[in-house]
Amino acid sequence: MKIVIGNDHAGVNLKNNIIKYFSEIEWINVGTDSEKSVDYPDIALNASKKILNNEACLGILICGTGTGIGIAANKVKGIRAAMCFNEIMAEYARKHNNANIVTLGARILGEELCFSIIKKFISTDFEGERHAKRVNKICAMEEL
Ligand code: RB5
């Protein structure tokens, strides 16, 4: 399973610790790897492209709050980014919304909580059925 991970300057430390903790995962790291200020929309776009090109099946995006980078990723057609504060949000973002990116707030959430959120996000499948109809409606809105 290849997973893309990206972050702005606020998320460098958390990103490095996630990569270390989940050492069995094949990561595609789109940066940044420096604490020099960068613009989170650039990172969101680079990570989204990896999913749309099928280089990665899921993504993790980190900024200070998890908000900006998620708003940016959700502008990309085919991306469903879910900001998650806990495991339950991560579980249902996959089960019901078929989210392909989870966004995390490095200045908001503790590291252990982030690890649990990621574990749940990557180990949960989309349930389809009635939820597929709703996700298809979201996809149709991308054509407006
Ligand atoms: C950067 O300082 C900060 O604005 C960014 O990481 C994020 O929180 C934006 O939503």
Side-chain angles (χ1 to χ4, degrees):
M1 161 185 287
K2 271 196 189 172
I3 299 183
V4 60
I5 189 162
N7 55 280
D8 73 359
H9 47 281
V12 180
N13 203 36
L14 177 59
K15 187 262 301 288
N16 289 337
N17 290 338
I18 289 170
I19 290 176
K20 243 182 264 165
Y21 184 86
F22 293 94
S23 56
E24 75 285 3
I25 289 177
E26 210 177 328
W27 293 104
I28 301 174
N29 175 13
V30 294
T32 181
D33 291 312
S34 134
E35 284 178 20
K36 188 167 161 263
S37 180
V38 292
D39 298 330
Y40 55 78
D42 299 331
I43 308 294
L45 181 59
N46 289 338
S48 297
K49 283 179 180 168
K50 299 289 180 194
I51 293 176
L52 299 178
N53 296 339
N54 292 317
E55 289 175 65
C57 53
L58 293 172
I60 295 169
L61 286 174
I62 307 163
C63 67
T65 58
T67 305
I69 207 156
I71 291 173
N74 277 317
K75 294 291 178 190
V76 180
K77 187 175 168 182
I79 295 299
R80 289 173 301 280
M83 180 166 58
C84 295
F85 308 146
N86 58 43
E87 283 180 58
I88 299 172
M89 292 175 81
E91 180 179 351
Y92 284 92
R94 292 285 307 130
K95 275 187 178 172
H96 288 189
N97 312 120
N98 201 12
N100 47 16
I101 290 181
V102 59
T103 79
L104 301 169
R107 294 176 178 151
I108 310 289
L109 306 173
E111 202 167 271
E112 292 296 325
L113 179 55
C114 291
F115 296 161
S116 312
I117 291 168
I118 292 168
K119 265 186 219 161
K120 188 57 82 175
F121 190 77
I122 66 177
S123 64
T124 307
D125 291 325
F126 180 47
E127 280 181 350
E129 298 180 6
R130 69 186 188 281
H131 305 294
K133 183 182 76 173
R134 295 162 187 163
V135 172
N136 287 341
K137 287 189 176 186
I138 296 173
C139 296
M141 289 165 74
E142 292 174 334
E143 308 304 327
L144 294 177

